[in-house]
Structure formats: C-alpha cells, structure tokens
C-alpha cells in the first residue's frame, strides 16, 4: 500500500547500503531529474553503518529505513520505498548510480 499524501507523476526510489562515497552525487542527480517532471525522491537506507544515512537526510527527499531485523536485500528495500512513494510511476535506482541529464524523460 502506498503512502497517502500529495500525488506526483513519478517517484524515484533510491536504495543504498554503505554508499557514503557515492550517495551525495547520486541523490543530487536523482533530485535534479525528478524535478524536471514534478516528481520526488524516496531514499531507503538498508542498514548502513557508514555516513550514508547522515548524508541522505541532508537532502530534500523522503527517507525510509528498513525495519529492525528485516532481511536486508535490494528487493526488500524497493518494497519499502514503493510503500513510501506517492508517484503514479516508480523508478528504482541504487545509491551508487548517477543518472545523466534527461534520463527520466
């Protein structure tokens, strides 16, 4: 079941675990692209033990965390992100991916 809040056409769901080195650049690119279509970004932390989560919360994104004791997998994180999204369409990214300008179109 998706979150009940303002509708957006596209939600970008980014999942990451211990991507401190890449996550800022990845989030900046995802936010830039989501804005071109009036979309938003949902960031799902998959139990990071480095600075990944601290970096992510400094960006204008919705942050979701895996439940304590939940199995950690990309699929489980995508499920959490989907449940937290409001987009009609959902696209998935990993925390070490930097999308090119125009990608979301």
């Amino acid at each position: 079941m998706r979150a009940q809040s303002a509708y957006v056409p596209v939600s970008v769901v980014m999942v990451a675990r211990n991507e401190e080195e890449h996550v800022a650049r990845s989030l900046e690119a995802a936010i830039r692209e989501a804005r071109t279509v009036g979309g938003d970004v949902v960031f799902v932390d998959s139990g990071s033990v480095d600075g990944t989560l601290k970096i992510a919360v400094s960006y204008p994104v919705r942050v979701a965390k895996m439940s304590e004791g939940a199995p950690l997998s990309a699929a489980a994180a995508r499920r959490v992100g989907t449940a937290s999204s409001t987009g009609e369409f959902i696209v998935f990214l990993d925390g070490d991916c930097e999308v090119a300008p125009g990608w979301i179109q």
Side-chain angles (χ1 to χ4, degrees):
M1 185 165 123
R2 290 204 197 148
Q4 298 298 316
S5 61
Y7 159 87
V8 296
V10 178
S11 287
V12 176
V13 173
M14 179 181 290
V15 300
R17 182 167 192 239
N18 297 330
E19 291 293 349
E20 179 178 40
E21 181 180 341
H22 307 283
V23 74
R25 194 170 54 250
S26 298
L27 280 167
E28 288 166 9
I31 292 165
R32 178 196 68 231
E33 286 301 296
R35 285 181 177 162
T36 68
V37 294
D40 66 358
V41 177
V42 178
F43 179 85
V44 183
D45 182 64
S46 234
S48 294
V49 295
D50 64 0
T52 299
L53 184 58
K54 184 177 181 181
I55 293 166
V57 300
S58 71
Y59 284 89
V61 298
R62 187 175 308 114
V63 176
K65 290 175 63 175
M66 301 293 292
S67 299
E68 190 72 33
L72 298 177
S73 70
R78 288 182 182 111
R79 184 169 189 262
V80 169
T82 298
S84 298
S85 71
T86 60
E88 179 178 3
F89 297 99
I90 300 171
V91 294
F92 299 104
L93 289 176
D94 292 333
D96 62 348
C97 295
E98 182 180 351
V99 295
W103 165 81
I104 206 161
Q105 271 96 23

